Amino acid sequence: MENKRINGNDLMALGYKENHAMGVALKINKKRLGFSRDEMLANFKNVLENPESYVADKIFRPLAEVLLNIDSMARETIALKESPVSYTVYGEAQIEEGAKKQMDIAMTLPITVAGALMPDAHQGYGLPIGGVLATQNAIIPYGVGVDIGCRMALSVFDLPASYLEANHDKLKEILMSNTRFGAGKGYLKQERMDHAVLDNPLFKTHALIRSLKDKAWTQLGSSGGGNHFVEFGIMEFTEKDESLGVERGRYLALLSHSGSRGLGATIADHYTKLAKAICRLPYQAQNLAYLDLHTEEGQEYWLAMNLAGDYASACHEVIHEKIKRGLGAGLLAKIENHHNFAWKEQFEGEEVIVHRKGATPAGKDTMGIIPGSMATPGFLVRGKGEELAINSASHGAGRLMSRTQAIKTLADSDLKQMLRDHGITLLGAGMDEAPMAYKDIHTVMAAQVDLVDVVATFSPKIVRMADDGSRED
DNA sequence: ATGTCC
């Protein structure tokens, strides 16, 4: 523990306040400077006490300048509303304080029209995960999220549930040979697939996106890491669904969760930095920097975001197509939805930009998928179009524990027992994705009965995820 | 989320 990274609490113990100076100090702390933890703490203490002696220092000058207020003229910031616009919170009892605090700040932005917090909400960068924000003609890159276009896709096959038991090993093999997981992972040149999304003109006209084309091609049809998965399971319709045309019954189904890989991550990073440079907000709101959609930068982000969304969709399409072919099955229904994205929508009679960062679109009769965890059910839902929720619902159960907390406190034997109890085969994944690290999906669903109706239930059976964080390669 | 550095 002696060498653990210096954090905000350490700085506060030295006398720093939670403001811009702390942000600058933490940024300096992130660089690898060759100082020990104690040396670094001593430096931070000295700069705070004698900033004037650091104005020419190579490393600590930015911090000294902020402490001396030298740049206060240059960084005049955009004024926030005096009090947050009110918003509806669903499942409030299960939502951590940090997520509500972040939402409160988002509700003071001058561009904010309305907001809502979904029952799986937890703290993120800028807008909380599970946050929905409607703005006037402006887009917040961190309101969309780092994994632009992250989405769910579901294929319900014309095969009975019994097919799964009878062909367990074959399904395992299909899953293993048609998916690719892990940070940075993709397909080799001779393996990679073609897709119309790669013909998007931005791959020629936009310098940054042009430089990412080869990586995007390589990673097309891959899943990445973290909470992403591809899984076989049983889809249960307790009654016939007229609009889908699916009869009552239990079917083999494929569910996938992933986003726009390196392409979207690089786009998000680029435009977040650009937004922060253009849109100067007070310290507590800096991660909510936005781009005006009437500016060139705003329009550029909009196009790049849509490309990342199309790319994420293409990745799922490739995965589902390959696996359907491997099965030799037909399709009864196919549903998909983004849950990290922004849309132009009508809200109370005006056009707004609706940011959903970890939230499922749930307009009237809109179909969506809300996954539970590797050992708990997910749900095919139909939106009710609740305006108070800005036509949205949760995007899952939501984390109960942070990844580090889960790895530290959960027992491998408990996970194994739980998987056995539910008859689940797990391929890959670390303890940070254990079901115990997530909120109870049934509690979360109960908190949003006004937002969605459940159409059918998905029970995971063979789950493929990235091997755990330690990375064995 | 991402090959976790600007």
Side-chain angles (χ1 to χ4, degrees), chain A residues 338-380:
Chain A
H338 289 332
H339 53 220
N340 279 9
F341 212 61
W343 292 262
K344 281 182 184 156
E345 292 180 10
Q346 292 294 314
F347 180 78
E348 292 178 345
E350 61 170 329
E351 187 184 270
V352 292
I353 306 301
V354 177
H355 301 70
R356 293 190 181 87
K357 184 185 192 180
T360 304
K364 180 94 185 106
D365 294 332
T366 301
M367 301 293 275
I369 302 143
I370 301 177
S373 69
M374 59 170 74
T376 55
F379 300 93
L380 175 58

mmCIF file of all heavy atoms in Angstrom, chain A residues 338-380:
data_model
loop_
_atom_site.group_PDB
_atom_site.id
_atom_site.type_symbol
_atom_site.label_atom_id
_atom_site.label_comp_id
_atom_site.label_asym_id
_atom_site.label_seq_id
_atom_site.Cartn_x
_atom_site.Cartn_y
_atom_site.Cartn_z
ATOM 1 N N HIS A 338 -28.567 0.835 -29.444
ATOM 2 C CA HIS A 338 -27.436 1.534 -28.805
ATOM 3 C C HIS A 338 -27.835 1.913 -27.387
ATOM 4 O O HIS A 338 -28.984 2.247 -27.141
ATOM 5 C CB HIS A 338 -27.148 2.866 -29.503
ATOM 6 C CG HIS A 338 -26.543 2.758 -30.860
ATOM 7 N ND1 HIS A 338 -25.771 1.712 -31.274
ATOM 8 C CD2 HIS A 338 -26.575 3.611 -31.909
ATOM 9 C CE1 HIS A 338 -25.351 1.928 -32.507
ATOM 10 N NE2 HIS A 338 -25.850 3.078 -32.927
ATOM 11 N N HIS A 339 -26.872 1.942 -26.461
ATOM 12 C CA HIS A 339 -27.146 2.564 -25.171
ATOM 13 C C HIS A 339 -26.093 3.582 -24.736
ATOM 14 O O HIS A 339 -26.153 4.094 -23.625
ATOM 15 C CB HIS A 339 -27.441 1.520 -24.076
ATOM 16 C CG HIS A 339 -26.404 0.447 -23.930
ATOM 17 N ND1 HIS A 339 -26.734 -0.875 -23.706
ATOM 18 C CD2 HIS A 339 -25.062 0.490 -23.967
ATOM 19 C CE1 HIS A 339 -25.624 -1.589 -23.619
ATOM 20 N NE2 HIS A 339 -24.597 -0.790 -23.762
ATOM 21 N N ASN A 340 -25.133 3.871 -25.608
ATOM 22 C CA ASN A 340 -24.184 4.988 -25.392
ATOM 23 C C ASN A 340 -24.222 5.829 -26.658
ATOM 24 O O ASN A 340 -23.468 5.572 -27.600
ATOM 25 C CB ASN A 340 -22.743 4.487 -25.228
ATOM 26 C CG ASN A 340 -22.416 3.981 -23.852
ATOM 27 O OD1 ASN A 340 -23.299 3.835 -23.018
ATOM 28 N ND2 ASN A 340 -21.154 3.700 -23.617
ATOM 29 N N PHE A 341 -25.075 6.844 -26.688
ATOM 30 C CA PHE A 341 -25.256 7.556 -27.948
ATOM 31 C C PHE A 341 -26.041 8.835 -27.707
ATOM 32 O O PHE A 341 -26.548 9.068 -26.598
ATOM 33 C CB PHE A 341 -26.001 6.653 -28.945
ATOM 34 C CG PHE A 341 -25.622 6.862 -30.376
ATOM 35 C CD1 PHE A 341 -24.317 6.651 -30.808
ATOM 36 C CD2 PHE A 341 -26.567 7.262 -31.319
ATOM 37 C CE1 PHE A 341 -23.960 6.831 -32.135
ATOM 38 C CE2 PHE A 341 -26.220 7.444 -32.657
ATOM 39 C CZ PHE A 341 -24.913 7.226 -33.065
ATOM 40 N N ALA A 342 -26.144 9.662 -28.757
ATOM 41 C CA ALA A 342 -27.002 10.850 -28.692
ATOM 42 C C ALA A 342 -27.867 10.899 -29.944
ATOM 43 O O ALA A 342 -27.419 10.523 -31.028
ATOM 44 C CB ALA A 342 -26.166 12.113 -28.584
ATOM 45 N N TRP A 343 -29.111 11.316 -29.753
ATOM 46 C CA TRP A 343 -30.092 11.336 -30.833
ATOM 47 C C TRP A 343 -30.775 12.710 -30.899
ATOM 48 O O TRP A 343 -30.954 13.354 -29.862
ATOM 49 C CB TRP A 343 -31.194 10.302 -30.579
ATOM 50 C CG TRP A 343 -30.827 8.855 -30.651
ATOM 51 C CD1 TRP A 343 -31.008 8.027 -31.723
ATOM 52 C CD2 TRP A 343 -30.272 8.027 -29.609
ATOM 53 N NE1 TRP A 343 -30.596 6.737 -31.405
ATOM 54 C CE2 TRP A 343 -30.140 6.717 -30.127
ATOM 55 C CE3 TRP A 343 -29.864 8.261 -28.289
ATOM 56 C CZ2 TRP A 343 -29.638 5.652 -29.378
ATOM 57 C CZ3 TRP A 343 -29.346 7.210 -27.545
ATOM 58 C CH2 TRP A 343 -29.235 5.928 -28.092
ATOM 59 N N LYS A 344 -31.205 13.106 -32.101
ATOM 60 C CA LYS A 344 -32.095 14.264 -32.229
ATOM 61 C C LYS A 344 -33.507 13.748 -32.033
ATOM 62 O O LYS A 344 -33.972 12.903 -32.796
ATOM 63 C CB LYS A 344 -31.956 14.890 -33.620
ATOM 64 C CG LYS A 344 -30.721 15.755 -33.758
ATOM 65 C CD LYS A 344 -30.604 16.428 -35.115
ATOM 66 C CE LYS A 344 -29.273 17.182 -35.161
ATOM 67 N NZ LYS A 344 -28.769 17.388 -36.514
ATOM 68 N N GLU A 345 -34.192 14.230 -31.005
ATOM 69 C CA GLU A 345 -35.555 13.758 -30.712
ATOM 70 C C GLU A 345 -36.459 14.927 -30.358
ATOM 71 O O GLU A 345 -35.990 16.001 -29.983
ATOM 72 C CB GLU A 345 -35.518 12.765 -29.529
ATOM 73 C CG GLU A 345 -34.816 11.457 -29.876
ATOM 74 C CD GLU A 345 -34.765 10.462 -28.716
ATOM 75 O OE1 GLU A 345 -35.433 10.688 -27.694
ATOM 76 O OE2 GLU A 345 -34.038 9.467 -28.847
ATOM 77 N N GLN A 346 -37.747 14.695 -30.436
ATOM 78 C CA GLN A 346 -38.737 15.685 -29.997
ATOM 79 C C GLN A 346 -38.983 15.488 -28.508
ATOM 80 O O GLN A 346 -39.207 14.371 -28.057
ATOM 81 C CB GLN A 346 -40.050 15.506 -30.763
ATOM 82 C CG GLN A 346 -39.962 15.861 -32.243
ATOM 83 C CD GLN A 346 -39.702 17.348 -32.462
ATOM 84 O OE1 GLN A 346 -40.327 18.202 -31.848
ATOM 85 N NE2 GLN A 346 -38.758 17.653 -33.351
ATOM 86 N N PHE A 347 -38.918 16.573 -27.762
ATOM 87 C CA PHE A 347 -39.239 16.515 -26.336
ATOM 88 C C PHE A 347 -40.092 17.723 -25.987
ATOM 89 O O PHE A 347 -39.660 18.861 -26.188
ATOM 90 C CB PHE A 347 -37.956 16.499 -25.497
ATOM 91 C CG PHE A 347 -38.206 16.439 -24.007
ATOM 92 C CD1 PHE A 347 -38.562 15.235 -23.397
ATOM 93 C CD2 PHE A 347 -38.119 17.581 -23.230
ATOM 94 C CE1 PHE A 347 -38.805 15.171 -22.034
ATOM 95 C CE2 PHE A 347 -38.355 17.530 -21.863
ATOM 96 C CZ PHE A 347 -38.711 16.320 -21.263
ATOM 97 N N GLU A 348 -41.290 17.467 -25.485
ATOM 98 C CA GLU A 348 -42.246 18.529 -25.169
ATOM 99 C C GLU A 348 -42.332 19.542 -26.306
ATOM 100 O O GLU A 348 -42.293 20.751 -26.096
ATOM 101 C CB GLU A 348 -41.868 19.207 -23.846
ATOM 102 C CG GLU A 348 -42.067 18.256 -22.658
ATOM 103 C CD GLU A 348 -41.655 18.864 -21.319
ATOM 104 O OE1 GLU A 348 -40.961 19.899 -21.318
ATOM 105 O OE2 GLU A 348 -42.043 18.295 -20.283
ATOM 106 N N GLY A 349 -42.423 18.998 -27.530
ATOM 107 C CA GLY A 349 -42.677 19.849 -28.693
ATOM 108 C C GLY A 349 -41.480 20.553 -29.296
ATOM 109 O O GLY A 349 -41.631 21.289 -30.261
ATOM 110 N N GLU A 350 -40.294 20.359 -28.746
ATOM 111 C CA GLU A 350 -39.127 20.976 -29.383
ATOM 112 C C GLU A 350 -38.059 19.934 -29.680
ATOM 113 O O GLU A 350 -38.012 18.879 -29.050
ATOM 114 C CB GLU A 350 -38.546 22.104 -28.507
ATOM 115 C CG GLU A 350 -38.056 21.630 -27.147
ATOM 116 C CD GLU A 350 -37.270 22.704 -26.387
ATOM 117 O OE1 GLU A 350 -36.605 23.536 -27.018
ATOM 118 O OE2 GLU A 350 -37.313 22.679 -25.148
ATOM 119 N N GLU A 351 -37.205 20.266 -30.657
ATOM 120 C CA GLU A 351 -36.129 19.337 -30.979
ATOM 121 C C GLU A 351 -34.997 19.492 -29.966
ATOM 122 O O GLU A 351 -34.531 20.600 -29.714
ATOM 123 C CB GLU A 351 -35.587 19.579 -32.381
ATOM 124 C CG GLU A 351 -34.588 18.496 -32.775
ATOM 125 C CD GLU A 351 -33.933 18.747 -34.124
ATOM 126 O OE1 GLU A 351 -34.491 18.282 -35.122
ATOM 127 O OE2 GLU A 351 -32.875 19.392 -34.150
ATOM 128 N N VAL A 352 -34.592 18.379 -29.375
ATOM 129 C CA VAL A 352 -33.485 18.395 -28.417
ATOM 130 C C VAL A 352 -32.481 17.311 -28.796
ATOM 131 O O VAL A 352 -32.781 16.431 -29.600
ATOM 132 C CB VAL A 352 -33.975 18.150 -26.964
ATOM 133 C CG1 VAL A 352 -34.814 19.308 -26.459
ATOM 134 C CG2 VAL A 352 -34.730 16.828 -26.863
ATOM 135 N N ILE A 353 -31.298 17.416 -28.200
ATOM 136 C CA ILE A 353 -30.290 16.362 -28.351
ATOM 137 C C ILE A 353 -30.363 15.512 -27.093
ATOM 138 O O ILE A 353 -30.069 15.981 -25.996
ATOM 139 C CB ILE A 353 -28.871 16.959 -28.495
ATOM 140 C CG1 ILE A 353 -28.818 17.994 -29.636
ATOM 141 C CG2 ILE A 353 -27.848 15.846 -28.693
ATOM 142 C CD1 ILE A 353 -29.203 17.450 -30.995
ATOM 143 N N VAL A 354 -30.805 14.262 -27.248
ATOM 144 C CA VAL A 354 -30.914 13.380 -26.081
ATOM 145 C C VAL A 354 -29.653 12.516 -25.982
ATOM 146 O O VAL A 354 -29.373 11.714 -26.865
ATOM 147 C CB VAL A 354 -32.171 12.483 -26.158
ATOM 148 C CG1 VAL A 354 -32.210 11.530 -24.960
ATOM 149 C CG2 VAL A 354 -33.427 13.339 -26.194
ATOM 150 N N HIS A 355 -28.889 12.739 -24.889
ATOM 151 C CA HIS A 355 -27.711 11.916 -24.604
ATOM 152 C C HIS A 355 -28.162 10.755 -23.731
ATOM 153 O O HIS A 355 -28.777 10.977 -22.689
ATOM 154 C CB HIS A 355 -26.676 12.705 -23.815
ATOM 155 C CG HIS A 355 -26.182 13.956 -24.488
ATOM 156 N ND1 HIS A 355 -26.953 15.082 -24.673
ATOM 157 C CD2 HIS A 355 -24.964 14.248 -25.011
ATOM 158 C CE1 HIS A 355 -26.233 16.011 -25.278
ATOM 159 N NE2 HIS A 355 -25.033 15.541 -25.498
ATOM 160 N N ARG A 356 -27.860 9.548 -24.148
ATOM 161 C CA ARG A 356 -28.097 8.390 -23.275
ATOM 162 C C ARG A 356 -26.749 7.721 -23.056
ATOM 163 O O ARG A 356 -26.174 7.149 -23.980
ATOM 164 C CB ARG A 356 -29.085 7.405 -23.903
ATOM 165 C CG ARG A 356 -30.498 7.970 -24.022
ATOM 166 C CD ARG A 356 -31.522 6.922 -24.419
ATOM 167 N NE ARG A 356 -32.835 7.527 -24.544
ATOM 168 C CZ ARG A 356 -33.309 8.100 -25.657
ATOM 169 N NH1 ARG A 356 -32.562 8.099 -26.761
ATOM 170 N NH2 ARG A 356 -34.502 8.656 -25.674
ATOM 171 N N LYS A 357 -26.254 7.833 -21.822
ATOM 172 C CA LYS A 357 -24.950 7.251 -21.503
ATOM 173 C C LYS A 357 -25.195 6.045 -20.598
ATOM 174 O O LYS A 357 -25.280 6.169 -19.385
ATOM 175 C CB LYS A 357 -24.097 8.289 -20.784
ATOM 176 C CG LYS A 357 -22.694 7.818 -20.507
ATOM 177 C CD LYS A 357 -21.956 8.848 -19.703
ATOM 178 C CE LYS A 357 -20.484 8.543 -19.649
ATOM 179 N NZ LYS A 357 -19.776 9.567 -18.868
ATOM 180 N N GLY A 358 -25.351 4.893 -21.207
ATOM 181 C CA GLY A 358 -25.745 3.732 -20.428
ATOM 182 C C GLY A 358 -27.219 3.798 -20.125
ATOM 183 O O GLY A 358 -27.637 3.676 -18.977
ATOM 184 N N ALA A 359 -28.022 4.035 -21.151
ATOM 185 C CA ALA A 359 -29.475 4.059 -20.999
ATOM 186 C C ALA A 359 -30.099 3.569 -22.300
ATOM 187 O O ALA A 359 -29.587 3.864 -23.389
ATOM 188 C CB ALA A 359 -29.969 5.460 -20.665
ATOM 189 N N THR A 360 -31.174 2.803 -22.189
ATOM 190 C CA THR A 360 -31.813 2.172 -23.337
ATOM 191 C C THR A 360 -32.930 3.060 -23.872
ATOM 192 O O THR A 360 -33.788 3.490 -23.090
ATOM 193 C CB THR A 360 -32.412 0.811 -22.905
ATOM 194 O OG1 THR A 360 -31.367 0.021 -22.336
ATOM 195 C CG2 THR A 360 -33.027 0.067 -24.088
ATOM 196 N N PRO A 361 -32.952 3.345 -25.179
ATOM 197 C CA PRO A 361 -34.075 4.109 -25.747
ATOM 198 C C PRO A 361 -35.380 3.359 -25.474
ATOM 199 O O PRO A 361 -35.461 2.151 -25.691
ATOM 200 C CB PRO A 361 -33.767 4.143 -27.249
ATOM 201 C CG PRO A 361 -32.290 3.901 -27.353
ATOM 202 C CD PRO A 361 -31.957 2.985 -26.210
ATOM 203 N N ALA A 362 -36.371 4.075 -24.956
ATOM 204 C CA ALA A 362 -37.630 3.407 -24.576
ATOM 205 C C ALA A 362 -38.830 4.266 -24.956
ATOM 206 O O ALA A 362 -39.779 4.419 -24.191
ATOM 207 C CB ALA A 362 -37.628 3.088 -23.076
ATOM 208 N N GLY A 363 -38.754 4.834 -26.166
ATOM 209 C CA GLY A 363 -39.908 5.553 -26.704
ATOM 210 C C GLY A 363 -41.072 4.591 -26.866
ATOM 211 O O GLY A 363 -40.893 3.366 -26.826
ATOM 212 N N LYS A 364 -42.279 5.134 -27.061
ATOM 213 C CA LYS A 364 -43.478 4.289 -27.190
ATOM 214 C C LYS A 364 -43.270 3.195 -28.243
ATOM 215 O O LYS A 364 -42.944 3.493 -29.399
ATOM 216 C CB LYS A 364 -44.668 5.178 -27.557
ATOM 217 C CG LYS A 364 -45.976 4.448 -27.719
ATOM 218 C CD LYS A 364 -46.775 4.468 -26.434
ATOM 219 C CE LYS A 364 -48.040 3.634 -26.557
ATOM 220 N NZ LYS A 364 -47.971 2.363 -25.839
ATOM 221 N N ASP A 365 -43.388 1.937 -27.816
ATOM 222 C CA ASP A 365 -43.286 0.757 -28.687
ATOM 223 C C ASP A 365 -41.885 0.475 -29.238
ATOM 224 O O ASP A 365 -41.723 -0.383 -30.104
ATOM 225 C CB ASP A 365 -44.284 0.825 -29.846
ATOM 226 C CG ASP A 365 -45.716 0.736 -29.353
ATOM 227 O OD1 ASP A 365 -45.939 0.117 -28.292
ATOM 228 O OD2 ASP A 365 -46.605 1.316 -30.008
ATOM 229 N N THR A 366 -40.875 1.185 -28.747
ATOM 230 C CA THR A 366 -39.497 0.905 -29.163
ATOM 231 C C THR A 366 -38.992 -0.332 -28.418
ATOM 232 O O THR A 366 -39.073 -0.413 -27.203
ATOM 233 C CB THR A 366 -38.581 2.111 -28.838
ATOM 234 O OG1 THR A 366 -39.079 3.250 -29.527
ATOM 235 C CG2 THR A 366 -37.146 1.845 -29.250
ATOM 236 N N MET A 367 -38.456 -1.289 -29.176
ATOM 237 C CA MET A 367 -37.938 -2.504 -28.551
ATOM 238 C C MET A 367 -36.505 -2.275 -28.081
ATOM 239 O O MET A 367 -35.723 -1.597 -28.752
ATOM 240 C CB MET A 367 -37.937 -3.659 -29.560
ATOM 241 C CG MET A 367 -39.288 -4.004 -30.142
ATOM 242 S SD MET A 367 -40.407 -4.684 -28.902
ATOM 243 C CE MET A 367 -39.923 -6.391 -28.949
ATOM 244 N N GLY A 368 -36.160 -2.874 -26.947
ATOM 245 C CA GLY A 368 -34.802 -2.758 -26.426
ATOM 246 C C GLY A 368 -34.419 -3.994 -25.638
ATOM 247 O O GLY A 368 -35.264 -4.840 -25.331
ATOM 248 N N ILE A 369 -33.135 -4.097 -25.317
ATOM 249 C CA ILE A 369 -32.633 -5.245 -24.568
ATOM 250 C C ILE A 369 -31.911 -4.745 -23.319
ATOM 251 O O ILE A 369 -31.010 -3.906 -23.410
ATOM 252 C CB ILE A 369 -31.656 -6.071 -25.422
ATOM 253 C CG1 ILE A 369 -32.353 -6.536 -26.706
ATOM 254 C CG2 ILE A 369 -31.137 -7.263 -24.631
ATOM 255 C CD1 ILE A 369 -31.438 -6.527 -27.897
ATOM 256 N N ILE A 370 -32.322 -5.252 -22.163
ATOM 257 C CA ILE A 370 -31.695 -4.892 -20.892
ATOM 258 C C ILE A 370 -31.091 -6.153 -20.287
ATOM 259 O O ILE A 370 -31.806 -7.014 -19.774
ATOM 260 C CB ILE A 370 -32.723 -4.263 -19.924
ATOM 261 C CG1 ILE A 370 -33.343 -3.009 -20.569
ATOM 262 C CG2 ILE A 370 -32.061 -3.922 -18.583
ATOM 263 C CD1 ILE A 370 -34.434 -2.341 -19.739
ATOM 264 N N PRO A 371 -29.761 -6.299 -20.384
ATOM 265 C CA PRO A 371 -29.128 -7.512 -19.867
ATOM 266 C C PRO A 371 -29.000 -7.471 -18.350
ATOM 267 O O PRO A 371 -28.938 -6.397 -17.753
ATOM 268 C CB PRO A 371 -27.747 -7.473 -20.521
ATOM 269 C CG PRO A 371 -27.450 -6.013 -20.687
ATOM 270 C CD PRO A 371 -28.773 -5.357 -20.936
ATOM 271 N N GLY A 372 -28.958 -8.664 -17.718
ATOM 272 C CA GLY A 372 -28.694 -8.749 -16.283
ATOM 273 C C GLY A 372 -27.205 -8.922 -16.085
ATOM 274 O O GLY A 372 -26.433 -7.982 -16.238
ATOM 275 N N SER A 373 -26.771 -10.132 -15.791
ATOM 276 C CA SER A 373 -25.339 -10.433 -15.713
ATOM 277 C C SER A 373 -25.166 -11.844 -16.250
ATOM 278 O O SER A 373 -26.119 -12.440 -16.740
ATOM 279 C CB SER A 373 -24.866 -10.364 -14.261
ATOM 280 O OG SER A 373 -25.428 -11.441 -13.539
ATOM 281 N N MET A 374 -23.951 -12.370 -16.157
ATOM 282 C CA MET A 374 -23.663 -13.689 -16.733
ATOM 283 C C MET A 374 -24.531 -14.806 -16.138
ATOM 284 O O MET A 374 -24.682 -15.847 -16.754
ATOM 285 C CB MET A 374 -22.187 -14.031 -16.547
ATOM 286 C CG MET A 374 -21.763 -14.054 -15.094
ATOM 287 S SD MET A 374 -20.116 -14.743 -14.847
ATOM 288 C CE MET A 374 -19.070 -13.431 -15.434
ATOM 289 N N ALA A 375 -25.079 -14.594 -14.940
ATOM 290 C CA ALA A 375 -25.859 -15.665 -14.310
ATOM 291 C C ALA A 375 -27.288 -15.254 -13.979
ATOM 292 O O ALA A 375 -28.012 -16.005 -13.337
ATOM 293 C CB ALA A 375 -25.156 -16.133 -13.033
ATOM 294 N N THR A 376 -27.683 -14.080 -14.423
ATOM 295 C CA THR A 376 -29.046 -13.620 -14.136
ATOM 296 C C THR A 376 -29.727 -13.219 -15.435
ATOM 297 O O THR A 376 -29.050 -12.892 -16.407
ATOM 298 C CB THR A 376 -29.035 -12.421 -13.153
ATOM 299 O OG1 THR A 376 -28.195 -11.398 -13.701
ATOM 300 C CG2 THR A 376 -28.508 -12.831 -11.788
ATOM 301 N N PRO A 377 -31.059 -13.262 -15.479
ATOM 302 C CA PRO A 377 -31.745 -13.023 -16.746
ATOM 303 C C PRO A 377 -31.595 -11.605 -17.293
ATOM 304 O O PRO A 377 -31.367 -10.657 -16.555
ATOM 305 C CB PRO A 377 -33.209 -13.318 -16.414
ATOM 306 C CG PRO A 377 -33.319 -13.291 -14.945
ATOM 307 C CD PRO A 377 -31.977 -13.615 -14.402
ATOM 308 N N GLY A 378 -31.741 -11.525 -18.618
ATOM 309 C CA GLY A 378 -31.857 -10.246 -19.302
ATOM 310 C C GLY A 378 -33.261 -10.153 -19.878
ATOM 311 O O GLY A 378 -33.986 -11.155 -19.914
ATOM 312 N N PHE A 379 -33.657 -8.967 -20.325
ATOM 313 C CA PHE A 379 -35.041 -8.780 -20.751
ATOM 314 C C PHE A 379 -35.163 -8.092 -22.101
ATOM 315 O O PHE A 379 -34.476 -7.100 -22.366
ATOM 316 C CB PHE A 379 -35.801 -7.968 -19.698
ATOM 317 C CG PHE A 379 -35.828 -8.645 -18.354
ATOM 318 C CD1 PHE A 379 -34.864 -8.357 -17.399
ATOM 319 C CD2 PHE A 379 -36.780 -9.622 -18.070
ATOM 320 C CE1 PHE A 379 -34.853 -9.003 -16.166
ATOM 321 C CE2 PHE A 379 -36.780 -10.280 -16.847
ATOM 322 C CZ PHE A 379 -35.815 -9.967 -15.885
ATOM 323 N N LEU A 380 -36.039 -8.648 -22.923
ATOM 324 C CA LEU A 380 -36.466 -7.962 -24.139
ATOM 325 C C LEU A 380 -37.646 -7.086 -23.717
ATOM 326 O O LEU A 380 -38.612 -7.592 -23.136
ATOM 327 C CB LEU A 380 -36.895 -8.991 -25.190
ATOM 328 C CG LEU A 380 -37.482 -8.432 -26.489
ATOM 329 C CD1 LEU A 380 -36.510 -7.508 -27.194
ATOM 330 C CD2 LEU A 380 -37.875 -9.583 -27.423
#
